[in-house]
Structures are given as C-alpha cells and as structure tokens.
Amino acid sequence: MGLLSEKNKQVLSGPLSVNNPVVVQMLGICSALAVTSKLEPAIVMGLSVTAVVAFANVIISLIRNTIPNRIRIIVQLVVVAALVTIVSEVLKAYAYDVNKQLSVFVGLIITNCILMGRLEAFALGNGPWESFLDGIGNGVGYALILIIVGFFRELLGSGTLLGFQVIPQALYDLGYANNGLMILPPMALITIAVIIWVHRSKNKELQEK
C-alpha cells in the first residue's frame, strides 16, 4: 500500500468533515468552549492538540505489540503526559503570553477525549504511518472548529482578529457596538451548536433517521 493510498487519504481527510471529532463525535468540546474567546489561543491550542495526538498515536502504534493489555491505559497516559509536558515547556519558552491565556488547559490536554479515543480505537490496531495520519486528521479537525469559533467570537465580541482591530472606527462612530455576549462561555456553546447544525444540514447521512 502506498503512503497516500485511498484508505490513508480517508484516514487523513475523514475527521476534517464527515467524522469530525468535535461536531460529529462530540469530543473535546470542553476545551473548545474554554479557549476560543480569542483566535490566537484557539490556534495554539489546536496546534498543540494536533502535535500531541499525532506523536502519541505513532508511539503507541510502535509499541502496541509489547504493551500488556491490563496496563495499556496507564502506558497511554504516560506517553500523552510526556508529550503534553514537552508542548507546555515549548509554549512557555516561545509563546509565554499565549500560554498564560490558555492557563490550565494545556495541561488538561491529557484528559482530552480525542486523545484516548484515537489511541484506543486506532493506534492500538494500526501501523505508525496510518496512526500518524489519523492523529494529524483528528487534530486538524479539532483545530478547525476551534479556529472557526475563535474567529467569530473575537471578531463579533472584540472587533479584533489576532489582537488587530479589523472593524473600522467609522462603524463605531456610526453607532456599532461590540457584542459582549460573544466573549462569554455560553456563546461558545451556541456557536458550536450552529456549526453542528450547518454541518449536519450539509451532510444528510449524519442526520438521524
């Protein structure tokens, strides 16, 4: 099988739409609600989760035949915890301000349901390359939703994107006002609900019979 066979392409692209971990599998929603009031932390969180899922998948896939079944969850947690620690230290060194905005949620990547779900459902039964593609696909699918939510929440709630003012001052002079509700946690839930509604309306096969 080629590195990008049809099966591998589906493994990579499936989580971006029809099998998205957030809007279809309903995983990782807690962090999606918590870190999306601004676009920058949403992007960084998405990249962090993508890196951890991809490399955790590869590591578990490489050692899957040597892990005793009774301690497999412990081994998975140790691998994920080590990767999360590395990501946390990198963020502290190179993106300290964003790391402060993310607060405890970087450390809580270890509890992200997407991680354990992919390790259990995929990495334990597939090779390293397929597991890497699965990790990238699910991580990017997760990040995509965070970026969409963060985009609209920051734009409508603060009038900025990545900290830069994008809504012209002229509009404010005419009476436009930022929607303060958008930066509150309930609006993250509502925004994700709208994304789920739009996604399912375009993918009829996901609708309940």
Side-chain angles (χ1 to χ4, degrees), residues 84-98:
V84 169
T85 300
I86 293 172
V87 168
S88 178
E89 293 303 311
V90 170
L91 290 178
K92 288 178 182 177
Y94 297 102
Y96 184 72
D97 290 340
V98 178

Side-chain angles (χ1 to χ4, degrees), residues 28-181:
I29 289 182
C30 294
S31 56
L33 302 180
V35 302
T36 54
S37 59
K38 293 188 179 297
L39 185 56
E40 186 177 22
I43 293 173
V44 173
M45 186 67 170
L47 292 175
S48 299
V49 170
T50 300
V52 173
V53 177
F55 288 106
N57 263 13
V58 171
I59 293 170
I60 293 300
S61 177
L62 286 170
I63 64 174
R64 68 187 188 280
N65 294 325
T66 64
I67 304 174
N69 187 62
R70 64 184 182 276
I71 63 167
R72 73 183 191 284
I73 299 297
I74 297 174
V75 173
Q76 291 170 16
L77 287 174
V78 170
V79 169
V80 172
L83 291 170
V84 169
T85 300
I86 293 172
V87 168
S88 178
E89 293 303 311
V90 170
L91 290 178
K92 288 178 182 177
Y94 297 102
Y96 184 72
D97 290 340
V98 178
N99 186 69
K100 286 182 65 177
Q101 292 181 56
L102 291 173
S103 183
V104 299
F105 293 101
V106 174
L108 289 177
I109 290 175
I110 191 174
T111 64
N112 194 309
C113 300
I114 297 172
L115 278 160
M116 301 307 295
R118 298 327 298 165
L119 295 178
E120 279 285 300
F122 200 91
L124 285 175
N126 292 274
W129 174 245
E130 292 81 4
S131 298
F132 178 74
L133 293 179
D134 179 77
I136 292 293
N138 279 276
V140 173
Y142 167 83
L144 182 63
I145 301 304
L146 262 65
I147 290 170
I148 293 172
V149 176
F151 176 89
F152 286 106
R153 290 185 71 194
E154 182 175 357
L155 178 64
L156 300 178
S158 303
T160 61
L161 285 176
L162 297 174
F164 296 100
Q165 189 71 37
V166 294
I167 295 181
Q169 183 59 41
L171 283 181
Y172 291 104
D173 295 338
L174 292 173
Y176 176 83
N178 294 325
N179 185 349
L181 288 175

Side-chain angles (χ1 to χ4, degrees), residues 204-209:
K204 303 297 184 182
E205 67 274 14
L206 297 177
Q207 298 178 12
E208 296 181 4
K209 303 296 183 182

